[in-house]
């Protein structure tokens, strides 16, 4: 199973001070050096974390695979075609949401999505659609020419009981099998973490996972001891 690391929250931290650090472009290089199979970033309409400069520099720096998460709008489509990521993952986007809240409604947006897929295919960009594990949505994704579906694992990740977790895992299994039968690549993402990722191995069709928040949160905690030690040494240097 390939691991793609979403670096949006490095940029979230930068934006908290509006400066230059931490730089998601530098973080992308570190992720690649340490085993990431790809780098994911979401260029949101409101630029709340990743910005245009990041995407352009990421294109220069990322050597594995760049996955641009995006809403299908004229502005972002233009940037995508300029930057040429290996993969574009279409997601729904609401300005007021904290994070992507659910999959695309491929059925009701099929015309718009199909046109966007065709446009990106003309530039040899693969397209993945972020969908809930729902049969009709997956069939619609295949029908309009998507290359890949990324199954939304949010409900699985948020399950509050063992029963619910296994129910959600079953939904993901059935959806992944259907995707593979329809010749779609199958990815998964949202809310995956150090405790629940192992369940994804039970679904052999899942080729790739996209993980952000858990990795960046962990990085803060495992990096904190070294960070404090380093600055404590400077603080106490002349005592
Ligand atoms: N996949 C998609 C389509 C997403 O929108 C996100 C969140 O940006 C992720 C994966 C990663 O989710 P998380 O940050 O919870 O790992």
């Amino acid at each position: 199973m390939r691991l793609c690391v979403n670096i949006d929250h490095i940029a979230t931290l930068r934006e908290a001070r509006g400066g230059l650090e931490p730089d998601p472009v530098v973080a992308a290089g570190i992720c690649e050096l340490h085993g990431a199979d790809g780098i994911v970033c979401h260029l949101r309409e409101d630029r709340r974390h990743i910005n245009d400069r990041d995407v352009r520099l990421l294109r220069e720096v990322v050597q594995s695979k760049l996955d641009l998460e995006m809403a299908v709008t004229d502005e972002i489509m233009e940037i995508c075609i300029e930057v040429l990521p290996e993969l574009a993952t279409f997601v729904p986007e609401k300005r007021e949401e904290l994070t992507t809240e659910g999959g695309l409604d491929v059925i009701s947006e099929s015309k718009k999505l199909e046109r966007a897929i065709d446009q990106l295919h003309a530039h040899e960009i693969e397209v993945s659609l972020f969908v809930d594990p729902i049969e009709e949505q997956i069939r619609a994704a295949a029908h309009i020419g998507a290359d890949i579906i990324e199954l939304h694992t949010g409900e699985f990740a948020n399950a509050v009981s063992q029963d619910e977790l296994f129910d959600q895992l079953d939904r993901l299994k059935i959806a992944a099998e259907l995707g593979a039968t329809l010749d779609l690549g199958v990815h998964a993402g949202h809310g995956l973490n150090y405790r629940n990722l192992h369940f994804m191995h039970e679904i052999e069709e899942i080729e790739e996972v996209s993980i952000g928040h858990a990795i960046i949160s962990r990085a803060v905690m495992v990096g904190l001891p070294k960070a404090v030690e380093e600055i404590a040494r400077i603080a106490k240097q002349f005592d």
Side-chain angles (χ1 to χ4, degrees), residues 5 7 20 28 62 74 109 136 143 168 174-175 189 194 201 224:
V5 178
I7 52 165
L20 298 174
V62 170
D74 290 346
E109 297 207 77
E136 295 74 19
H143 186 70
Q168 292 297 339
I174 292 164
Y194 294 80
H201 286 294
L224 198 53

Side-chain angles (χ1 to χ4, degrees), residues 28-47:
I30 294 171
C31 293
E32 282 192 318
L33 277 173
H34 290 269
D37 298 300
I39 300 297
V40 190
C41 68
H42 184 175
L43 183 66
R44 281 183 168 267
E45 184 204 8
D46 63 10
R47 309 296 199 271

Side-chain angles (χ1 to χ4, degrees), residues 216-235:
I216 307 309
S217 306
R218 181 83 150 209
V220 171
M221 290 304 169
V222 301
L224 198 53
K226 188 157 189 284
V228 174
E229 281 160 23
E230 283 179 8
I231 204 151
R233 211 173 303 130
I234 299 169

Side-chain angles (χ1 to χ4, degrees), residues 79-91:
I79 294 170
C80 182
I81 287 167
E82 181 201 321
V83 166
L84 299 176
E86 280 79 15
L87 178 65
T89 299
F90 292 170
V91 297

